[in-house]
């Protein structure tokens, strides 16, 4: 029996109680999904629910009395061994061995579909992450968003949402100008501007701009006047830098559906249209020669200048137009992932959301990530040889590999700072979390190989009642959790829940492996015990592979 089947049985019991008048509720008040959770102490049963506590007050009854009635109704459900009442009205439910063990067959038969759900079905999500300016290699903060954002997109999709990954390409503004001037200065053998960019990558890109111009039969851009030369280095340099970023992200397993150019918002008239719409809604006013958005009406600490007195669009103008553009493209959820220095951005953008008639933190969500610190040999790693001032995505991958990098960046909540120990992540030991989980998967595959060699075949038999050892109950309980973990991770936007779940599952599997054999020992004959355990082993293979896939991490078959 799966948790979904047990929840359905509980809901049926509640509806029966409503129908016969025992429970004074309207059928619409019965929750569509009864919440179940694993008891903290195994002796309390397989599943627990507080649904009697939730419904007793609106029904005008005592929680324990309602729990007693539900226990009696549920105890006759096939597969339920016992229902106990705890405290003021909690229900602790114990499944019989056969019902619990059936989950192994369910998982194997469902394959990759197991764990996927429809809790977010019908939601269209635009997920914007990374969006680093193309003025240098992707640094470690952006790498964290690459790992977390891509994993979140996978989790949201697994929960039924339609997700579009979007990269906001900042090709408009002062940072790009400084980048172009830095390239030109380096090409001419001069020091970078005081507010410019340094690092070996600037020399590399400047050299490529010159080489590309020569290959195309164009004039050496260094010989052009300053304005033309700056434009030449800007135009080609930005493309080269962004190509590098995209290549690094692709090597990291991260791909985007849309690369949206900031400049398009200004050149297409999107900014003017957004301002006009807000003006028509009465939220725009003129003061001191500038155009203002009255964001204080929606909780912001001050009103914001949208068009400056010189006629130039303020930075927020692009943000306003960009949000509206996403909504007009049909996305009902706009999720933006930003770095730790963007807290001040939240209030103004939630005000913009409200000014358009939308609901802040529903139609618009802003996730703020915290810093990543790298440690090697007990000392902080502060500088990249190539970038000069920051540690880049390529530095991290070179040090520990893609799998360890992605897993380690995702396994902690994005809103907490993390220290990554490069020495630990390079170790092939159980201290290394990604190795611990991947090794569990490789071990399940090896068990299946050995079983096949010994003549143990799933197709020859399955008897769920034979999965009667404590370690099997624990492992089955962990396997049953995947759908709930995926749904929660998607709902609260926390893919790290998947990583922590996988570590618990790996631990349960390793303990089971130490206590139960899938292959016959010595002269022992192959029996349904071995075949049934193979089903459980292979169910674990599937769930580990699914979970690792949600994190964008490989599931190796040998280690």
């Amino acid at each position: 029996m799966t948790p979904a089947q047990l929840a359905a049985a509980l809901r049926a019991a509640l509806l029966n109680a409503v129908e016969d008048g025992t429970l004074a509720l309207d059928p619409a008040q019965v929750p569509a999904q009864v919440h179940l959770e694993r008891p903290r102490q195994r002796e309390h049963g397989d599943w627990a629910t507080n649904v009697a506590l939730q419904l007793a007050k609106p029904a005008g009854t005592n929680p324990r009395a309602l729990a007693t009635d539900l226990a009696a109704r549920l105890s006759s459900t096939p597969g339920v061994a016992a229902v106990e009442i705890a405290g003021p009205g909690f229900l602790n439910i114990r499944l019989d061995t056969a019902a619990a063990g059936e989950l192994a067959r369910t998982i194997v038969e469902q394959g990759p579909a197991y764990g996927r759900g429809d809790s977010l079905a019908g939601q269209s999500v635009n997920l914007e992450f990374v969006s680093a300016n193309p003025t240098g290699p992707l640094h470690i903060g952006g790498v964290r968003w690459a790992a977390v954002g891509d994993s979140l997109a996978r989790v949201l999709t697994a929960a039924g949402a339609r997700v579009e990954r979007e990269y906001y390409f900042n090709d408009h503004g002062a940072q790009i100008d400084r980048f172009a001037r830095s390239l030109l200065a380096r090409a001419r053998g001069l020091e970078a501007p005081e507010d410019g960019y340094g690092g070996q990558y600037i020399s590399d890109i400047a050299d490529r701009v010159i080489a590309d111009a020569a290959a195309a039969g164009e004039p050496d851009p260094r010989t052009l006047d300053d304005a033309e030369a700056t434009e030449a280095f800007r135009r080609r340099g930005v493309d080269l830098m962004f190509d590098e970023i995209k290549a690094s992200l692709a090597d990291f397993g991260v791909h985007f559906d849309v690369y949206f150019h900031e400049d398009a918002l200004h050149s297409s008239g999107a900014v003017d249209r957004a301002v006009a719409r807000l003006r028509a809604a009465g939220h725009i006013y003129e003061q001191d020669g500038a155009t203002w958005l009255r964001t204080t009406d929606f909780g912001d600490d001050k009103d914001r200048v949208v068009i400056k007195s010189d006629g130039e669009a303020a930075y927020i103008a692009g943000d306003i137009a960009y949000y509206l553009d996403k909504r007009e493209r049909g996305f009902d959820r706009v999720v933006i992932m930003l770095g730790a220095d963007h807290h001040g951005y939240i209030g103004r953008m939630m005000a913009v959301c409200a000014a358009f008639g939308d609901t802040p933190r529903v139609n618009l969500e802003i996730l703020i990530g915290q810093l990543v610190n790298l440690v090697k040999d007990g000392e902080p790693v502060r500088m990249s040889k190539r970038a000069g001032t920051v540690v880049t995505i390529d530095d991290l991958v070179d040090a520990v590999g893609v799998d360890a990098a992605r897993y380690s960046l995702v396994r902690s909540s994005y809103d907490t700072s993390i220290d990554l120990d490069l020495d630990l992540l390079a170790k092939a030991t159980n201290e290394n979390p990604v190795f611990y989980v991947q090794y569990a998967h490789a071990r399940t595959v090896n068990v299946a190989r050995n079983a096949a060699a010994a003549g143990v075949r799933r197709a020859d038999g399955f008897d769920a009642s034979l999965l009667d050892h404590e370690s099997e109950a624990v492992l089955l309980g962990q396997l049953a959790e995947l759908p709930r973990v995926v749904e929660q991770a998607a709902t609260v936007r926390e893919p790290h829940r998947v990583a922590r779940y996988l570590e618990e599952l790996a631990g349960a599997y390793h303990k089971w492996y130490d206590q139960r054999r899938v292959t016959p020992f010595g002269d022992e004959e192959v029996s349904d015990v071995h075949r049934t355990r193979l089903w459980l082993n292979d169910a674990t293979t599937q769930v580990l592979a699914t979970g690792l896939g949600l994190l964008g991490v490989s599931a190796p078959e040998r280690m």
Side-chain angles (χ1 to χ4, degrees):
M1 176 178 283
T2 67
Q5 291 168 333
L6 179 58
L10 268 166
R11 186 170 191 272
L14 286 166
L15 290 172
N16 288 338
V18 170
E19 186 176 353
D20 64 23
T22 304
L23 187 60
L25 289 177
D26 187 278
Q29 292 176 278
V30 176
Q33 180 69 42
V34 176
H35 177 70
L36 294 168
E37 60 184 22
R38 298 287 292 178
R40 290 177 180 170
Q41 295 177 292
R42 178 72 184 87
E43 59 268 23
H44 289 171
D46 296 299
W47 296 100
T49 180
N50 65 349
V51 68
L53 293 167
Q54 288 180 313
L55 297 182
K57 185 174 182 179
T61 188
N62 179 278
R64 195 169 176 90
L66 175 54
T68 300
D69 179 73
L70 283 175
R73 295 174 189 270
L74 195 64
S75 60
S76 62
T77 301
V80 174
V83 184
E84 300 169 354
I85 303 164
F90 292 97
L91 289 175
N92 290 332
I93 304 163
R94 192 180 310 277
L95 304 180
D96 66 40
T97 303
E102 277 293 333
L103 179 65
R105 178 155 57 185
T106 297
I107 292 171
V108 172
E109 290 178 345
Q110 289 188 6
Y114 179 73
R116 301 180 72 88
D118 59 3
S119 61
L120 301 186
Q123 291 191 19
S124 181
V125 181
N126 179 278
L127 179 61
E128 179 195 337
F129 60 103
V130 183
S131 295
N133 294 330
T135 55
L138 191 62
H139 63 78
I140 191 66
V143 183
R144 186 178 194 180
W145 275 140
V148 174
D150 186 63
S151 296
L152 178 57
R154 294 167 187 250
V155 168
L156 291 169
T157 300
R162 180 179 76 85
V163 181
E164 184 167 277
R165 297 166 171 85
E166 187 151 312
Y167 190 117
Y168 187 47
F169 183 92
N170 186 340
D171 55 354
H172 182 94
Q175 291 157 319
I176 298 298
D177 293 337
R178 292 199 300 271
F179 175 65
R181 293 198 307 271
S182 299
L183 292 174
L184 176 57
R186 188 64 60 89
R188 288 176 170 174
L190 305 174
E191 289 294 322
E194 186 176 342
D195 59 350
Y197 297 91
Q200 181 60 39
Y201 77 95
I202 291 291
S203 294
D204 295 341
I205 292 176
D207 290 343
R208 287 187 60 188
V209 171
I210 295 167
D212 287 353
E218 298 173 356
D220 185 331
R222 292 172 294 184
T223 65
L224 302 175
D225 66 52
D226 287 352
E228 290 179 329
T230 300
E231 174 58 24
F233 278 97
R234 186 202 66 78
R235 183 179 61 252
R236 183 61 183 143
V238 167
D239 287 346
L240 288 170
M241 189 71 260
F242 197 49
D243 286 345
E244 282 198 26
I245 292 173
K246 287 194 284 188
S248 293
L249 287 169
D251 291 341
F252 201 57
V254 177
H255 302 273
F256 290 87
D257 302 301
V258 172
Y259 293 95
F260 192 99
H261 289 255
E262 180 187 7
D263 197 55
L265 295 170
H266 300 271
S267 61
S268 68
V271 169
D272 294 336
R273 290 193 299 274
V275 172
R277 179 163 168 175
L278 291 171
R279 190 186 299 278
H283 304 313
I284 293 289
Y285 67 94
E286 311 295 329
Q287 182 176 302
D288 300 327
T291 300
W292 297 69
L293 174 62
R294 193 176 285 105
T295 53
T296 51
D297 284 355
F298 305 100
D300 197 7
D301 59 345
K302 62 182 180 180
D303 290 345
R304 304 289 171 171
V305 173
V306 180
I307 306 297
K308 295 182 284 188
S309 57
D310 62 3
E312 290 293 316
Y315 191 82
I316 195 175
D319 293 332
I320 292 169
Y322 190 32
Y323 173 74
L324 180 61
D325 178 86
K326 290 180 179 182
R327 294 286 282 125
E328 290 181 339
R329 280 187 270 152
F331 295 104
D332 46 45
R333 301 271 184 163
V334 174
V335 182
I336 305 173
M337 308 177 81
L338 298 172
D341 57 343
H342 285 77
H343 277 284
Y345 186 82
I346 297 176
R348 72 191 69 167
M349 283 307 299
M350 291 304 168
V352 167
C353 171
F356 280 121
D358 290 342
T359 304
R361 295 175 178 82
V362 174
N363 299 112
L364 174 63
E365 300 172 56
I366 298 176
L367 311 181
I368 301 293
Q370 293 301 318
L371 301 176
V372 181
N373 303 304
L374 299 186
V375 177
K376 184 172 178 57
D377 300 326
E379 297 293 332
V381 178
R382 300 191 182 281
M383 191 174 297
S384 165
K385 291 180 181 178
R386 182 163 183 264
T389 55
V390 295
V391 177
T392 71
I393 183 172
D394 298 323
D395 297 324
L396 181 59
V397 170
D398 288 345
V400 300
V402 171
D403 283 346
R406 285 191 62 131
Y407 190 95
S408 61
L409 289 166
V410 173
R411 75 181 293 265
S412 297
S413 177
Y414 62 79
D415 60 359
T416 60
S417 298
I418 55 174
D419 294 327
L420 298 189
D421 187 332
L422 300 182
D423 299 312
L424 174 64
L425 294 176
K427 287 182 179 179
T429 68
N430 287 343
E431 298 174 87
N432 180 353
V434 67
F435 176 87
Y436 186 65
V437 174
Q438 287 183 314
Y439 180 65
H441 181 270
R443 176 174 265 183
T444 67
V445 175
N446 188 56
V447 166
R449 276 195 297 264
N450 292 339
V456 181
R457 294 175 0 107
R458 285 201 319 258
D460 292 341
F462 177 77
D463 182 351
S465 67
L466 297 173
L467 298 174
D468 56 1
H469 191 267
E470 174 66 14
S471 66
E472 288 162 338
V474 172
L475 180 54
L476 284 163
Q478 286 293 333
L479 294 171
E481 286 282 84
L482 178 65
R484 183 188 65 82
V485 170
V486 171
E487 179 180 348
Q488 284 191 345
T491 300
V492 299
R493 317 303 196 227
E494 293 182 348
H496 76 273
R497 291 171 180 256
V498 176
R500 297 309 174 115
Y501 162 74
L502 289 176
E503 291 165 33
E504 292 180 3
L505 174 59
Y509 177 78
H510 289 312
K511 289 179 181 177
W512 175 76
Y513 174 90
D514 290 338
Q515 299 178 61
R516 313 306 277 171
R517 291 186 59 86
V518 173
T519 54
F521 181 72
D523 296 331
E524 187 181 10
E525 293 291 325
V526 173
S527 69
D528 279 351
V529 170
H530 304 107
R531 299 182 188 104
T532 302
R533 289 176 185 167
L534 180 59
W535 281 88
L536 180 55
N537 178 82
D538 292 357
T540 308
T541 306
Q542 179 60 66
V543 172
L544 286 168
T546 297
L548 287 167
L550 290 172
L551 303 180
V553 176
S554 70
E557 297 189 355
R558 298 179 188 273
M559 291 186 73

